Amino acid sequence: MAEFGFNEHHQNEVINYMRFARSKRVLRLKTIDSCFEELKDSRLVEETFTVDEVREMLDGLQAVVRGEVETELINTAHTNVLLLRQLFSQAEKFYLRLQTDISELENRELLEQVAEFEKTDFKTADKKNQETSKLKLAPLNEGGVSELLNKEITRLQGENDKLKARLRTLESQAMGALDEKSKAERALKDLQKVQGEQQHAAHTQEINSLEGTVASLKEDYERSLSISAASHKDLQDNLISSKHELLRVQDQLSLAEKELEKKFQQTAAYRNMKEILTKKNEQIKDIRKRLQRYEPSE
């Protein structure tokens, strides 16, 4: 059986199966021979037979022989299924998946090799096997497959633990980045609040000063009105002019406020704070992408 690549143990298993198949074949052939002998003894008792009688005897013999052959073929197929069941059960025990090539069952070259083995080596193997007891199919060597499976399981568990540790590290970094972002946003809001309060105080002071000026002008106008009616027109003009001046100053204050806010946005503190927030946002985006990469898919 060297052509088939079997070791000694598997070669003995093949020999045992071929011996079983041969015994079943011999038994079935004897049954067919008995059918012919029964026909000879029971029907061929006369010197001559008509055509119909011969046809009847042959049809009956055909039905009997056909039934015997069909029974043997069915039994052989079922026996092969039980043999495959034993092999597959042992393979599944170690999580293996065996495959068969049905086309190889009609390979004439291999069939001729099996027939040659049955004629020559099979007789020698019969003598050896008669001296040893029959053994059942032994399970595969657990020291090989199971050890490899255990190593692979251990390796996968180690990689899984590393990935979990990496995921925890990334989550910790993400939480730290979020905390830093929150702190930076609060600092920026506080800075804007302080700057706004300072601007509001300056504007209030200027408005109070202008209101004092208007009040002083109004008092001067009233005194001038009581002193001389002739200067009434001049004082009224001054009052109108002062109001115009007040509106102009208020416009200037509004422009100054906008200019002050623009200058504040151009300050180094504002730019640094904005740059920090931009970097933190980029870090958070990167960490989220990395978390999605390591996150297990459902």
Side-chain angles (χ1 to χ4, degrees):
M1 293 292 284
E3 297 85 353
F4 298 98
F6 290 156
N7 57 28
E8 183 178 358
H9 173 75
H10 290 161
Q11 179 177 340
N12 292 332
E13 294 298 329
V14 172
I15 292 173
N16 290 334
Y17 176 75
M18 293 182 68
R19 182 185 297 109
F20 168 77
R22 185 178 60 178
S23 64
K24 299 292 290 185
R25 183 172 67 249
V26 172
L27 180 62
R28 192 59 57 184
L29 289 175
K30 289 181 179 180
T31 304
I32 294 175
D33 291 339
S34 66
C35 293
F36 282 90
E37 292 297 330
E38 182 181 357
L39 177 65
K40 292 177 183 179
D41 296 338
S42 62
R43 301 297 301 274
L44 299 180
V45 294
E46 299 180 3
E47 293 290 337
T48 59
F49 293 94
T50 63
V51 175
D52 293 336
E53 290 175 340
V54 173
R55 182 178 291 109
E56 181 185 356
M57 287 188 292
L58 292 177
D59 290 342
L61 181 61
Q62 179 186 8
V64 174
V65 173
R66 177 185 176 87
E68 292 292 336
V69 173
E70 183 180 9
T71 301
E72 177 61 20
L73 292 175
I74 293 174
N75 183 68
T76 301
H78 293 173
T79 303
N80 291 333
V81 171
L82 293 179
L83 181 63
L84 291 174
R85 176 179 176 272
Q86 297 181 42
L87 297 176
F88 291 158
S89 297
Q90 292 186 20
E92 291 176 0
K93 179 180 178 182
F94 298 95
Y95 306 98
L96 300 177
R97 293 184 179 180
L98 302 182
Q99 293 181 345
T100 59
D101 188 356
I102 303 300
S103 62
E104 287 294 319
L105 299 179
E106 297 181 353
N107 189 321
R108 299 305 306 174
E109 182 179 355
L110 294 178
L111 291 174
E112 291 175 0
Q113 292 178 6
V114 174
E116 184 66 23
F117 168 74
E118 187 175 9
K119 292 178 182 178
T120 58
D121 298 343
F122 187 60
K123 296 180 180 179
T124 304
D126 282 344
K127 297 180 180 179
K128 294 182 179 179
N129 289 332
Q130 289 175 358
E131 300 176 357
T132 59
S133 61
K134 295 183 179 180
L135 300 175
K136 294 183 178 180
L137 289 175
L140 296 175
N141 184 11
E142 296 185 1
V145 178
S146 62
E147 183 177 356
L148 292 176
L149 290 174
N150 289 332
K151 289 182 178 179
E152 182 65 15
I153 291 172
T154 303
R155 184 184 67 82
L156 293 176
Q157 287 178 347
E159 292 182 357
N160 190 29
D161 292 338
K162 290 180 180 179
L163 291 176
K164 288 182 179 179
R166 182 60 177 169
L167 181 61
R168 287 193 294 268
T169 302
L170 292 174
E171 289 177 349
S172 177
Q173 293 177 355
M175 294 301 297
L178 289 173
D179 291 339
E180 292 181 1
K181 179 185 177 183
S182 300
K183 292 178 181 179
E185 290 178 346
R186 286 195 298 270
L188 179 60
K189 289 180 180 179
D190 293 340
L191 182 61
Q192 291 177 344
K193 182 178 180 181
V194 172
Q195 191 70 23
E197 290 176 353
Q198 293 177 352
Q199 293 177 356
H200 179 71
H203 295 165
T204 302
Q205 185 177 1
E206 292 179 358
I207 293 173
N208 291 334
S209 177
L210 291 174
E211 289 178 349
T213 303
V214 172
S216 177
L217 292 173
K218 186 176 181 181
E219 291 176 358
D220 292 341
Y221 171 72
E222 291 176 352
R223 284 196 301 268
S224 299
L225 183 61
S226 62
I227 294 171
S228 176
S231 60
H232 174 73
K233 188 175 183 304
D234 295 335
L235 290 174
Q236 188 175 9
D237 293 339
N238 290 333
L239 180 59
I240 293 173
S241 178
S242 298
K243 289 182 178 180
H244 289 170
E245 182 66 19
L246 176 61
L247 293 174
R248 186 180 65 80
V249 171
Q250 287 179 345
D251 291 337
Q252 290 179 353
L253 286 175
S254 178
L255 292 175
E257 181 180 358
K258 293 180 180 178
E259 185 66 22
L260 183 60
E261 183 178 359
K262 182 177 180 182
K263 289 181 179 180
F264 168 71
Q265 293 179 356
Q266 294 176 353
T267 58
Y270 182 87
R271 290 196 302 271
N272 291 336
M273 193 64 64
K274 187 174 182 180
E275 183 178 357
I276 290 173
L277 286 176
T278 303
K279 290 181 179 180
K280 293 301 178 182
N281 287 330
E282 293 296 330
Q283 290 179 359
I284 290 172
K285 290 180 181 179
D286 181 63
I287 290 173
R288 284 177 177 170
K289 291 181 180 179
R290 293 166 66 184
L291 285 174
Q292 292 176 356
R293 186 188 311 162
Y294 288 102
E295 185 175 344
S297 59
E298 293 292 333

